[in-house]
Amino acid sequence: EWVDTLEPKEKRDLIKTVREEVSVRMGIIIFFDQNTDEESLVKTIACFKEQTRAPRYIVVVNSRVEYNELIHDLLIESFPNKEKTNVHLVQCMDQETGDFAKVDIAFQHALNGFYYVINSGEEVQNDFIEKFDSYINDGLNQVVMVKPKEEVGGLLIQASLHKLLNGSRTKMNDDESLNRETIVQRVVDMAIQNGGIDLIKDWSDIV
């Protein structure tokens, strides 16, 4: 049985152990571009460093090559325990690359669970991940995506869904026309077709 595979410490509090097993895993994608600076990135990374529930991974999408070393050192310093939080630095120097395309680039480092997209300089409360986990597991709510507050900033989505729909990458429809929809549009389309629009939330539903 499952219980037999647990460590003695885990067996002593089965409720806590089960809760940990089903807890939401969330990764964070941070955009660092020409409109932001070192101070803004430090602020954003700090708010995830101080989370009551650690993010599963952090990916910084960097559009300023001169900041590579600084960002790398900041990530390693802020998240030294790789077993808790993996860190990745992704270079994106093409200024023509759109934000949804940047998410697709960062997605190569995504793990199971959800990912959240945020711009450098923005912050969330230190119980942001824990509150979303409670919304799912304590409130028994089902969510596949929380719509972004801006174009892509604030997007929270299941990584498995991103993979299923090929993100925002151009793909061919069944009628051989090109599909250039973003991942947000594709999730909404799929939800409408399959009767799951109630699984798509706004942030006002959650916080």
Side-chain angles (χ1 to χ4, degrees):
E1 289 188 11
W2 170 73
V3 174
D4 296 330
T5 67
L6 300 177
E7 298 291 331
K9 181 180 178 181
E10 295 173 318
K11 291 180 180 178
R12 283 196 291 270
D13 191 343
L14 287 178
I15 294 177
K16 181 180 178 182
T17 299
V18 170
R19 189 63 178 77
E20 285 296 322
E21 285 289 324
V22 301
S23 66
V24 168
R25 269 65 172 176
M26 187 187 298
I28 311 297
I29 297 174
I30 303 172
F31 290 162
F32 182 76
D33 56 28
Q34 304 298 328
N35 300 317
T36 53
D37 55 22
E38 175 185 344
E39 183 179 348
S40 68
L41 182 62
V42 168
K43 183 167 65 173
T44 301
I45 287 179
C47 81
F48 289 107
K49 174 185 177 182
E50 296 163 2
Q51 287 293 304
T52 54
R53 185 177 293 277
R56 185 66 189 85
Y57 57 89
I58 302 282
V59 183
V60 175
V61 182
N62 178 30
S63 301
R64 307 176 69 177
V65 66
E66 66 272 22
Y67 282 89
N68 272 350
E69 185 174 351
L70 181 148
I71 295 173
H72 176 267
D73 291 345
L74 180 60
L75 287 171
I76 296 300
E77 177 186 336
S78 301
F79 304 99
N81 187 344
K82 291 184 178 180
E83 290 188 9
K84 280 190 174 182
T85 306
N86 292 330
V87 295
H88 305 279
L89 174 58
V90 175
Q91 189 72 56
C92 182
M93 294 305 298
D94 186 352
Q95 300 303 319
E96 300 301 315
T97 302
D99 286 348
F100 281 101
K102 290 179 182 178
V103 172
D104 286 331
I105 294 170
F107 187 74
Q108 64 183 305
H109 298 294
L111 300 172
N112 289 338
F114 289 82
Y115 70 74
Y116 177 72
V117 182
I118 188 170
N119 292 306
S120 178
E122 297 179 356
E123 297 176 277
V124 296
Q125 294 180 332
N126 67 350
D127 58 353
F128 172 75
I129 297 175
E130 184 177 2
K131 276 186 174 178
F132 183 70
D133 174 76
S134 179
Y135 180 79
I136 297 291
N137 288 305
D138 299 328
L140 302 179
N141 294 288
Q142 292 183 299
V143 179
V144 297
M145 180 178 74
V146 183
K147 289 184 286 188
K149 302 169 185 176
E150 306 162 6
E151 181 186 3
V152 67
L155 172 64
L156 179 65
I157 186 172
Q158 288 183 0
S160 58
L161 197 55
H162 182 110
K163 184 176 182 180
L164 174 68
L165 298 176
N166 200 32
S168 302
R169 298 182 188 278
T170 300
K171 61 181 182 180
M172 189 171 290
N173 294 319
D174 293 338
D175 62 2
E176 298 188 356
S177 62
L178 291 180
N179 183 330
R180 294 189 173 91
E181 289 183 320
T182 67
I183 182 61
V184 174
Q185 293 167 321
R186 288 174 180 173
V187 172
V188 171
D189 288 347
M190 185 180 74
I192 291 173
Q193 292 169 9
N194 295 290
I197 198 68
D198 59 318
L199 303 181
I200 298 173
K201 307 294 184 182
D202 291 306
W203 281 109
S204 59
D205 299 323
I206 297 172
V207 295

mmCIF file of all heavy atoms in Angstrom, residues 42 120 168 193:
data_model
loop_
_atom_site.group_PDB
_atom_site.id
_atom_site.type_symbol
_atom_site.label_atom_id
_atom_site.label_comp_id
_atom_site.label_asym_id
_atom_site.label_seq_id
_atom_site.Cartn_x
_atom_site.Cartn_y
_atom_site.Cartn_z
ATOM 1 N N VAL A 42 15.318 42.658 -8.694
ATOM 2 C CA VAL A 42 15.592 42.257 -7.306
ATOM 3 C C VAL A 42 14.296 42.221 -6.501
ATOM 4 O O VAL A 42 14.052 41.286 -5.726
ATOM 5 C CB VAL A 42 16.607 43.227 -6.656
ATOM 6 C CG1 VAL A 42 16.677 42.989 -5.143
ATOM 7 C CG2 VAL A 42 17.985 43.053 -7.281
ATOM 8 N N SER A 120 9.148 41.955 -14.621
ATOM 9 C CA SER A 120 10.103 42.454 -13.638
ATOM 10 C C SER A 120 9.619 43.789 -13.085
ATOM 11 O O SER A 120 9.164 44.656 -13.819
ATOM 12 C CB SER A 120 11.472 42.626 -14.309
ATOM 13 O OG SER A 120 12.410 43.146 -13.396
ATOM 14 N N SER A 168 1.720 29.010 -27.807
ATOM 15 C CA SER A 168 1.247 30.015 -28.766
ATOM 16 C C SER A 168 1.947 29.871 -30.113
ATOM 17 O O SER A 168 1.866 30.772 -30.959
ATOM 18 C CB SER A 168 1.485 31.422 -28.202
ATOM 19 O OG SER A 168 0.836 31.598 -26.969
ATOM 20 N N GLN A 193 -15.688 24.787 -26.644
ATOM 21 C CA GLN A 193 -16.060 23.600 -27.428
ATOM 22 C C GLN A 193 -16.409 22.421 -26.539
ATOM 23 O O GLN A 193 -17.279 21.607 -26.880
ATOM 24 C CB GLN A 193 -14.912 23.223 -28.366
ATOM 25 C CG GLN A 193 -14.659 24.233 -29.470
ATOM 26 C CD GLN A 193 -13.358 23.958 -30.214
ATOM 27 O OE1 GLN A 193 -12.726 22.926 -30.020
ATOM 28 N NE2 GLN A 193 -12.946 24.900 -31.065
#
